[in-house]
Amino acid sequence: MIQVRNVSKSFGSTNVLNELSIDFDKGVTVIMGQSGAGKSTLLRCINGLEKIDGGDIVVDGLSINEKKNVREIREKCSMVFQQFNLFPHLNVLENVTLSPIHVLGIEKKKAQEKAMRFLEMVGLSEKIKSYPSQLSGGQQQRVAIARALIMEPSALLLDEITSALDPEMTSEVLEVIERIAREGTTMLVVTHEVSFARRVADRMVFLENGKVLADQNTEDFFSSNNERIMRFLQKIEFN
Ligand SMILES: Nc1ncnc2c1ncn2[C@@H]1O[C@H](COP(=O)(O)OP(=O)(O)O)[C@@H](O)[C@H]1O
Ligand SMILES: [Mg+2]
């Protein structure tokens, strides 16, 4: 579904992705790695938010190196960020229906009906008239998830979406993600939440210095005897 082939990406003299190759198929892949490993850059390149310097990324047969494909790829790979990035002047329903109406050209009433389904899924059907400033961080993040899901992407890209939240809100957001995962949504998830990863990941990827250091099924990863991975897991578990 997503093929990353020999992808390189530098910022100035910082070489962030190093001829990285990896394929993502159906299911949930959790990506871990030290801060600075290139996790966000990888997701941003897949989503077309960063231009790759070399190699190729192919999403559902579309190469990102063809300019005309970038918009479609971005729609296929919907991304959710740590900072929810909701529009403050739009209420919940308006935030979620904005892209379906303006990007997909769906009629307003249809878009609203569809939005209600996804807002229900994330447990926010009571909040449709609220503005982002009237919501908790966890609620705002769930709006952002509904906004990504309504585009019916081939894959959902989640980049540390709970790291700005307190523990209670973190678990409410992770519960929603778990529910969505169980419905068969393909996801690439960057997170440091170990117990969540153990529960939902079909596959674990560990990045280091812009390369794939490990790519394993979840059980094997968490019982890994790779020294780098063991040290990393110890460090985050004691945080
Ligand atoms: N827009 C940017 N400009 C310059 N350097 C960047 C930019 N984005 C990321 N970097 C650098 O690239 C490296 C990898 O960053 P990132 O992909 O955010 O890592 P991670 O998400 O794994 O913590 C870091 O050294 C970071 O400082
Ligand atoms: Mg990051």
Side-chain angles (χ1 to χ4, degrees):
M1 177 187 281
I2 299 175
Q3 291 146 329
V4 178
R5 291 284 145 78
N6 297 317
V7 166
S8 296
K9 174 71 186 174
S10 300
F11 294 105
S13 58
T14 317
N15 199 349
V16 180
L17 300 181
N18 234 322
E19 302 211 348
L20 186 147
S21 293
I22 190 165
D23 286 359
F24 297 102
D25 283 313
K26 286 211 168 306
V28 180
T29 305
V30 167
I31 302 169
M32 288 188 169
Q34 305 276 7
S35 174
K39 307 178 296 294
S40 297
T41 303
L42 175 62
L43 293 194
R44 293 171 61 82
C45 286
I46 291 172
N47 184 256
L49 287 170
E50 297 286 357
K51 209 172 165 309
I52 59 178
D53 299 330
D56 197 7
I57 296 175
V58 179
V59 178
D60 292 344
L62 300 171
S63 164
I64 206 152
N65 288 325
E66 305 254 348
K67 249 203 175 110
K68 63 174 172 48
N69 290 340
V70 173
R71 197 180 125 174
E72 199 173 336
I73 288 178
R74 191 163 300 160
E75 283 166 25
K76 285 174 176 292
C77 300
S78 227
M79 191 149 168
V80 181
F81 305 88
Q82 181 180 325
Q83 322 77 345
F84 333 117
N85 298 339
L86 299 176
F87 291 105
H89 60 291
L90 300 180
N91 70 29
V92 167
L93 192 60
E94 290 162 345
N95 262 287
V96 177
T97 52
L98 192 71
S99 288
I101 293 171
H102 294 284
V103 178
L104 302 181
I106 297 178
E107 185 197 328
K108 188 172 170 188
K109 193 141 186 298
K110 282 249 162 62
Q112 289 179 337
E113 282 167 17
K114 200 171 172 193
M116 288 308 296
R117 285 214 310 276
F118 290 102
L119 285 166
E120 209 161 290
M121 195 187 280
V122 300
L124 285 176
S125 38
E126 323 268 82
K127 296 282 183 190
I128 60 171
K129 297 283 180 211
S130 301
Y131 287 85
S133 63
Q134 300 169 315
L135 300 175
S136 72
Q139 290 170 331
Q140 290 185 57
Q141 193 56 292
R142 286 185 282 144
V143 175
I145 293 165
R147 185 179 57 174
L149 285 173
I150 197 172
M151 300 301 279
E152 302 189 60
S154 305
L156 201 57
L157 277 40
L158 309 178
D159 191 6
E160 298 203 34
I161 64 165
T162 60
S163 28
L165 302 176
D166 66 30
E168 197 180 326
M169 291 185 220
T170 295
S171 44
E172 84 189 25
V173 169
L174 293 181
E175 263 168 45
V176 163
I177 296 300
E178 235 179 297
R179 201 176 320 141
I180 296 165
R182 265 186 259 116
E183 297 199 356
T185 312
T186 293
M187 292 195 261
L188 276 53
V189 188
V190 174
T191 182
H192 297 302
E193 298 287 338
V194 169
S195 56
F196 165 77
R198 277 178 184 258
R199 281 198 307 277
V200 303
D202 298 306
R203 173 184 174 201
M204 294 294 307
V205 169
F206 190 83
L207 290 192
E208 190 169 78
N209 300 325
K211 273 194 177 300
V212 177
L213 187 82
D215 180 358
Q216 295 173 297
N217 73 51
T218 309
E219 207 173 305
D220 291 347
F221 178 83
F222 285 105
S223 54
S224 169
N225 50 20
N226 179 304
E227 198 196 320
R228 301 281 315 114
I229 295 171
M230 282 165 66
R231 227 188 304 151
F232 172 82
L233 290 175
Q234 267 167 10
K235 211 166 78 184
I236 56 175
E237 272 177 312
F238 289 114
N239 262 341

